[in-house]
Amino acid sequence: MGVSLSRRAFLGGAEPTPAPDSPRLAVVGQGCLAARGVYCRSCAESCEAAALRIRPLPGGRAEIAIDPDRCTGCGDCLGVCPVEALSLQQRPPDDA
Ligand code: SF4
Ligand code: SF4
Protein backbone atom coordinates (compact mmCIF):
# COMPACT_ATOMS: atom_id res chain seq x y z
CA MET A 1 0.00 0.00 0.00
CA GLY A 2 1.14 3.54 -0.59
CA VAL A 3 3.81 5.01 -2.76
CA SER A 4 7.36 3.89 -2.35
CA LEU A 5 10.05 6.51 -2.56
CA SER A 6 13.61 5.56 -3.32
CA ARG A 7 16.37 6.81 -1.09
CA ARG A 8 17.81 8.84 -3.96
CA ALA A 9 14.51 10.58 -4.65
CA PHE A 10 14.04 11.15 -0.96
CA LEU A 11 17.41 12.84 -0.79
CA GLY A 12 16.46 15.17 -3.60
CA GLY A 13 18.35 13.63 -6.51
CA ALA A 14 16.88 12.78 -9.85
CA GLU A 15 15.28 9.41 -10.05
CA PRO A 16 17.55 7.11 -12.06
CA THR A 17 16.38 5.31 -15.13
CA PRO A 18 15.46 1.82 -13.95
CA ALA A 19 18.68 0.02 -14.59
CA PRO A 20 19.06 -3.05 -12.91
CA ASP A 21 17.05 -5.34 -14.93
CA SER A 22 19.90 -5.27 -17.38
CA PRO A 23 22.52 -7.92 -16.81
CA ARG A 24 25.10 -5.61 -18.35
CA LEU A 25 27.02 -2.67 -17.02
CA ALA A 26 29.37 -0.21 -18.72
CA VAL A 27 33.02 -0.37 -17.70
CA VAL A 28 35.80 2.11 -18.47
CA GLY A 29 39.08 0.58 -19.54
CA GLN A 30 42.62 1.85 -19.30
CA GLY A 31 42.60 3.56 -22.66
CA CYS A 32 40.41 6.42 -21.44
CA LEU A 33 41.81 9.73 -22.63
CA ALA A 34 40.56 11.65 -19.61
CA ALA A 35 42.68 9.46 -17.36
CA ARG A 36 45.71 10.59 -19.37
CA GLY A 37 44.97 14.29 -19.10
CA VAL A 38 43.26 14.72 -22.45
CA TYR A 39 39.97 16.57 -22.15
CA CYS A 40 37.19 14.21 -23.17
CA ARG A 41 33.70 13.93 -21.74
CA SER A 42 31.96 12.38 -24.73
CA CYS A 43 30.67 9.36 -22.88
CA ALA A 44 29.29 11.33 -19.96
CA GLU A 45 27.57 13.73 -22.32
CA SER A 46 25.98 10.88 -24.23
CA CYS A 47 24.53 9.05 -21.25
CA GLU A 48 20.87 9.89 -20.84
CA ALA A 49 20.75 8.03 -17.55
CA ALA A 50 23.50 10.26 -16.13
CA ALA A 51 25.35 7.18 -15.04
CA LEU A 52 28.78 8.53 -15.93
CA ARG A 53 30.39 10.97 -13.55
CA ILE A 54 33.62 12.90 -13.90
CA ARG A 55 35.98 12.82 -10.94
CA PRO A 56 38.82 15.33 -11.34
CA LEU A 57 42.29 14.04 -10.57
CA PRO A 58 45.60 15.87 -10.13
CA GLY A 59 47.44 16.92 -13.24
CA GLY A 60 44.38 17.72 -15.31
CA ARG A 61 43.37 14.10 -15.45
CA ALA A 62 39.92 12.75 -14.63
CA GLU A 63 38.38 9.46 -13.71
CA ILE A 64 35.14 8.38 -15.36
CA ALA A 65 33.06 6.68 -12.71
CA ILE A 66 30.01 4.60 -13.56
CA ASP A 67 27.07 4.55 -11.20
CA PRO A 68 25.77 0.97 -11.30
CA ASP A 69 22.43 2.11 -9.92
CA ARG A 70 21.89 4.27 -12.99
CA CYS A 71 23.58 2.39 -15.80
CA THR A 72 20.97 0.64 -17.92
CA GLY A 73 23.52 -1.25 -19.99
CA CYS A 74 22.16 0.44 -23.12
CA GLY A 75 25.61 0.75 -24.69
CA ASP A 76 25.08 4.26 -26.04
CA CYS A 77 28.33 5.46 -24.53
CA LEU A 78 30.43 2.86 -26.33
CA GLY A 79 29.99 4.34 -29.79
CA VAL A 80 31.01 7.87 -28.85
CA CYS A 81 34.33 6.97 -27.25
CA PRO A 82 37.13 7.86 -29.68
CA VAL A 83 39.46 5.20 -28.32
CA GLU A 84 36.95 2.42 -27.61
CA ALA A 85 37.78 2.49 -23.94
CA LEU A 86 34.29 1.51 -22.86
CA SER A 87 32.79 -1.93 -22.85
CA LEU A 88 29.77 -3.71 -21.46
CA GLN A 89 30.33 -6.45 -18.97
CA GLN A 90 28.16 -8.73 -16.93
CA ARG A 91 27.06 -7.26 -13.66
CA PRO A 92 28.42 -9.01 -10.61
CA PRO A 93 25.79 -11.43 -9.30
CA ASP A 94 25.18 -9.40 -6.16
CA ASP A 95 24.71 -6.21 -8.19
CA ALA A 96 21.92 -7.37 -10.49
S1 SF4 B 1 25.66 1.81 -20.98
FE1 SF4 B 1 24.06 3.39 -21.28
S2 SF4 B 1 23.35 3.88 -19.19
FE2 SF4 B 1 25.31 2.76 -18.96
S3 SF4 B 1 26.87 4.37 -18.84
FE3 SF4 B 1 26.70 3.79 -21.02
S4 SF4 B 1 25.21 5.24 -21.91
FE4 SF4 B 1 25.01 5.32 -19.68
S1 SF4 C 1 34.57 8.92 -24.24
FE1 SF4 C 1 36.19 7.38 -23.88
S2 SF4 C 1 38.10 8.56 -23.80
FE2 SF4 C 1 36.40 10.02 -23.55
S3 SF4 C 1 36.15 10.22 -21.31
FE3 SF4 C 1 34.72 8.59 -22.00
S4 SF4 C 1 35.87 6.66 -21.77
FE4 SF4 C 1 37.36 8.33 -21.68
Side-chain angles (χ1 to χ4, degrees), residues 13-31:
E15 188 67 16
T17 305
D21 282 352
S22 171
R24 301 186 303 174
L25 178 70
V27 175
V28 182
Q30 294 186 342

Side-chain angles (χ1 to χ4, degrees), residues 19-90:
D21 282 352
S22 171
R24 301 186 303 174
L25 178 70
V27 175
V28 182
Q30 294 186 342
C32 175
L33 296 174
R36 301 178 185 181
V38 178
Y39 187 89
C40 182
R41 304 291 186 264
S42 298
C43 55
E45 292 168 358
S46 75
C47 179
E48 292 186 2
L52 292 158
R53 305 295 175 84
I54 312 298
R55 291 183 182 152
L57 297 173
R61 297 176 299 120
E63 176 188 15
I64 309 300
I66 297 176
D67 183 343
D69 291 336
R70 287 178 174 266
C71 178
T72 64
C74 68
D76 287 353
C77 54
L78 274 64
V80 302
C81 179
V83 292
E84 301 182 355
L86 289 150
S87 60
L88 291 178
Q89 297 186 7
Q90 290 294 120

